[in-house]
Amino acid sequence: MKLNLETLERWLWDSADLMRGHIDSSDFKNYIFGLLFLKRANDQFFEEANLAVKEEGISLEKALEDEDYHQFYIPREAYWSELTKKTENIGQALDKAFAAIEEHNPTLEGVMTAVHFGDSEKLPDTLLSRLLQHFNKYSLANADIENPDILGNAYEYLIREFADDAGKKGGEFYTPKEVVKLAVGLIKPEAGNSVYDPTCGSGGMLIESAHYIKAHGGVIDGKYINVSLYGQEKNLGTWAIAKINMIVHGFIDADIRKGDTLASPKHTKNGELMTFDRVIANPPFSLKKWWAPAEVDIKTDEKGKEIAPKYNDVVTDEYGRFKYGIPPRGYGDLAFVQHMIAVLRHDGRMGVVLPHGILFRGGTEGKIRKGILEDDLIEAVIGLPEKLFYNTGIPASILVINKHKPESLKDKVVFIDASGEYKEGKNQNKLTDEHIAKVIDAYDSLEDIEKFMRIVDMEEIRENDHNLNIARYIDTSEPEEIVDIPAVLEEIKALEDKEKAIDEELNGYLKELGYA
């Protein structure tokens, strides 16, 4: 019987339970994902070798040694069968195995060695032995699973579960899938598009964009999704997870770079930024000290207090991304937005998840917002419910930017108040498919909907000093009930007369009983 998704998910999650009490739950994912990939790569490697023996008529030894027969080459020291025989120094053996795999597979450079298993205090041999035996329970070769897609689905499941388990820390690498699905549905990636996420986390927005294209017929030869995926992630461990995420979903060629996107964007060509058809992101909300070069040598005053650098004086960008202004040191949101605009093609669309404050804060941010609006780039502002995200309870918004607006939306902005569209949860609220469809259908209709959606002329936005606070444009208040004063006074008088009659009757009873 082939391994199905339900069994695979349960099996993988049980591996996390083995680690409880040894390491922090927020670190589970790094080790589990490494072992999952190692087991999958081994099973696939031997399956490919046996297939070569059958089809090419060669010996198994030759099939195992010839890298041309394999998607990923596994050297002997990284054979799963060898590692499961170890009884001591298992962590060191795993680290050597991962390093050897990277050496033979340049596309995995830095991915496998992003996590270290050699700390025997944190990961004793007894624990690692149990983990290896647990992972040995099932084969992950293609012939032994229902279909290759379940690996990607199980990987997504694990990322979501680890985010739940990690609580607020989960927001560092995972955006709730419902928010991702809504953002993708708003920018509508198409077959043949290049899609880029400058803060890609574990890669969920890129994967969902590919799924959207597949659902809308963008498949080549019935197998390959016609899309090019690009991303950059600052956190090394999360970058490694994103790389593996792409691989298990079949996007071997996805270009996921590591590094600080604002200080050092990696997707460049001939000294210029690459551009993309669709750009999508959920940057860290209101990131402080967002320009790393300015934070290298911070001086202090005579009392030891930090002397904050003035970003207007110290931020210089060789790519000219901050044409609308330099955001303040305490709020990096519009730095990410301007980077995204800079890498968006002339006919491209982008969606970015942002905190509400970005819609109305003044100062430098107000000037930047004004510049983007006056260039007629903002197509829509969608207000989201509160408590959707792991790392904050505040409501957020999605900004849709279009460099090639349809004629009907030129010098206009679509406002949607979806703050009431959610299913209440214990720790987090959720968007359902119905809520997502309601927002996207309204957006596609381009018709005003009372208390929900309104298309606003730029002139009105100018009158509001380029403030994009949704409440200024959509009135969701309920009309006050008109009070009929004379009728109310009549009711009060009738109640007073009734009260007087009751008092008289009560006094009569008391008198009869001798109490009055």
Side-chain angles (χ1 to χ4, degrees):
M1 185 175 176
K2 293 190 175 185
L3 185 63
N4 60 33
L5 179 59
E6 183 181 356
T7 304
L8 176 58
E9 288 178 345
R10 186 171 61 250
W11 171 49
L12 293 174
W13 185 246
D14 286 347
S15 65
D17 288 335
L18 294 175
M19 305 186 78
R20 295 189 190 282
H22 290 274
I23 61 173
D24 190 276
S25 62
S26 62
D27 292 329
F28 286 174
K29 62 185 184 302
N30 301 316
Y31 301 102
I32 300 302
F33 288 142
L35 291 175
L36 171 61
F37 182 79
L38 180 62
K39 182 64 163 63
R40 163 63 174 173
N42 261 271
D43 291 343
Q44 191 176 19
F45 177 77
F46 281 94
E47 182 179 47
E48 291 163 343
N50 286 314
L51 188 63
V53 170
K54 182 179 178 180
E55 294 183 350
E56 304 292 333
I58 60 176
S59 67
L60 179 60
E61 184 177 0
K62 178 172 174 53
L64 290 172
E65 291 177 353
D66 193 332
E67 297 187 15
D68 291 339
Y69 292 117
H70 304 285
Q71 185 180 81
F72 296 108
Y73 182 77
I74 308 299
R76 187 169 295 275
E77 60 265 46
Y79 282 5
W80 185 264
S81 57
E82 295 298 316
L83 292 167
T84 53
K85 293 177 184 176
K86 301 284 184 183
T87 58
E88 56 183 24
N89 298 323
I90 299 173
Q92 291 88 333
L94 284 169
D95 286 342
K96 289 178 181 177
F98 287 135
I101 291 174
E102 284 189 12
E103 185 178 340
H104 286 272
N105 301 275
T107 58
L108 295 176
E109 184 180 354
V111 176
M112 310 306 298
T113 53
V115 178
H116 300 288
F117 285 80
D119 186 343
S120 58
E121 289 188 7
K122 183 184 290 186
L123 299 169
D125 285 331
T126 52
L127 171 61
L128 290 176
S129 180
R130 289 177 66 197
L131 277 171
L132 289 176
Q133 293 307 319
H134 179 79
F135 271 91
N136 209 34
K137 186 175 181 180
Y138 296 105
S139 167
L140 295 176
N142 288 329
D144 298 316
I145 58 179
E146 275 191 342
N147 61 74
D149 288 343
I150 72 168
L151 283 167
N153 294 335
Y155 198 86
E156 288 183 41
Y157 161 80
L158 278 181
I159 292 174
R160 182 176 68 250
E161 291 298 313
F162 284 133
D164 283 339
D165 212 43
K168 285 192 174 183
K169 288 185 179 180
E172 296 175 8
F173 62 90
Y174 181 76
T175 302
K177 189 168 184 178
E178 299 82 8
V179 177
V180 176
K181 191 173 180 181
L182 174 57
V184 171
L186 291 168
I187 66 169
K188 296 176 172 51
E190 300 174 352
N193 275 174
S194 55
V195 184
Y196 167 70
D197 183 343
T199 58
C200 70
S202 50
M205 287 189 158
L206 296 174
I207 297 293
E208 184 60 33
S209 296
H211 287 168
Y212 183 93
I213 290 173
K214 180 180 179 180
H216 290 78
V219 179
I220 301 173
D221 297 332
K223 184 178 180 181
Y224 303 102
I225 301 175
N226 188 11
V227 65
S228 300
L229 302 178
Y230 301 82
Q232 186 166 337
E233 171 56 38
K234 183 178 180 179
N235 181 283
L236 179 60
T238 305
W239 166 81
I241 291 172
K243 289 280 285 186
I244 298 175
N245 198 10
M246 297 300 144
I247 292 168
V248 297
H249 278 91
F251 301 109
I252 309 296
D253 296 328
D255 187 351
I256 311 298
R257 311 280 182 91
K258 54 186 171 183
D260 183 339
T261 299
L262 294 179
S264 181
K266 300 300 182 184
H267 291 91
T268 60
K269 190 174 183 180
N270 299 325
E272 295 184 356
L273 294 170
M274 293 172 60
T275 56
F276 308 93
D277 299 300
R278 296 291 185 272
V279 180
I280 187 169
N282 175 22
F285 286 0
S286 301
L287 181 66
K288 294 176 172 55
K289 304 179 182 180
W290 53 268
W291 189 251
E295 304 297 336
V296 173
D297 186 22
I298 300 298
K299 295 179 172 54
T300 57
D301 60 20
E302 61 276 4
K303 295 182 179 179
K305 185 178 179 181
E306 178 183 274
I307 301 175
K310 295 180 180 178
Y311 269 36
N312 273 328
D313 297 332
V314 298
V315 175
T316 56
D317 178 49
E318 62 180 298
Y319 302 106
R321 289 172 292 174
F322 307 128
K323 61 177 284 189
Y324 297 107
I326 307 297
R329 188 188 188 211
Y331 297 100
D333 310 284
L334 286 176
F336 286 108
V337 171
Q338 290 188 86
H339 167 79
M340 294 171 73
I341 291 173
V343 300
L344 187 64
R345 286 186 178 155
H346 66 92
D347 57 351
R349 292 163 63 87
M350 67 174 249
V352 54
V353 182
L354 297 165
H356 260 300
I358 209 64
L359 303 177
F360 53 79
R361 285 196 294 258
T364 305
E365 290 180 291
K367 293 176 182 177
I368 295 170
R369 190 171 58 246
K370 176 182 177 180
I372 298 172
L373 280 164
E374 290 297 340
D375 277 354
D376 200 20
L377 294 177
I378 298 178
E379 182 170 284
V381 179
I382 295 91
L384 299 177
E386 62 181 7
K387 292 175 66 177
L388 287 181
F389 299 87
Y390 289 98
N391 50 352
T392 179
I394 65 171
S397 59
I398 297 177
L399 215 63
V400 178
I401 285 179
N402 190 348
K403 284 192 174 179
H404 190 64
K405 280 187 181 183
E407 200 62 38
S408 59
L409 286 179
K410 289 193 182 298
D411 288 318
K412 293 180 175 66
V413 175
V414 177
F415 286 87
I416 297 178
D417 184 353
S419 59
E421 305 299 318
Y422 65 91
K423 178 181 178 181
E424 192 170 353
K426 183 179 179 182
N427 297 316
Q428 279 180 266
N429 294 328
K430 290 188 175 182
L431 298 172
T432 66
D433 288 342
E434 289 74 20
H435 297 136
I436 294 169
K438 181 178 178 180
V439 173
I440 293 174
D441 289 348
Y443 182 57
D444 292 345
S445 74
L446 292 182
E447 294 181 2
D448 288 356
I449 301 172
E450 188 177 2
K451 300 184 183 299
F452 186 71
M453 172 173 149
R454 185 170 166 237
I455 301 174
V456 179
D457 287 329
M458 187 62 68
E459 195 53 46
E460 183 177 345
I461 294 172
R462 290 190 186 102
E463 290 172 1
N464 280 302
D465 294 325
H466 299 90
N467 187 314
L468 294 178
N469 194 353
I470 298 170
R472 290 195 175 216
Y473 305 99
I474 298 179
D475 182 9
T476 58
S477 63
E478 295 295 330
E480 293 185 10
E481 184 181 350
I482 298 175
V483 180
D484 186 338
I485 300 298
V488 172
L489 292 175
E490 283 293 327
E491 288 180 17
I492 293 172
K493 186 177 184 305
L495 289 171
E496 288 175 342
D497 291 343
K498 188 174 182 179
E499 182 183 15
K500 184 177 180 182
I502 292 171
D503 285 343
E504 290 176 354
E505 185 177 1
L506 179 61
N507 286 332
Y509 291 140
L510 292 172
K511 190 173 184 180
E512 289 178 8
L513 294 171
Y515 288 103

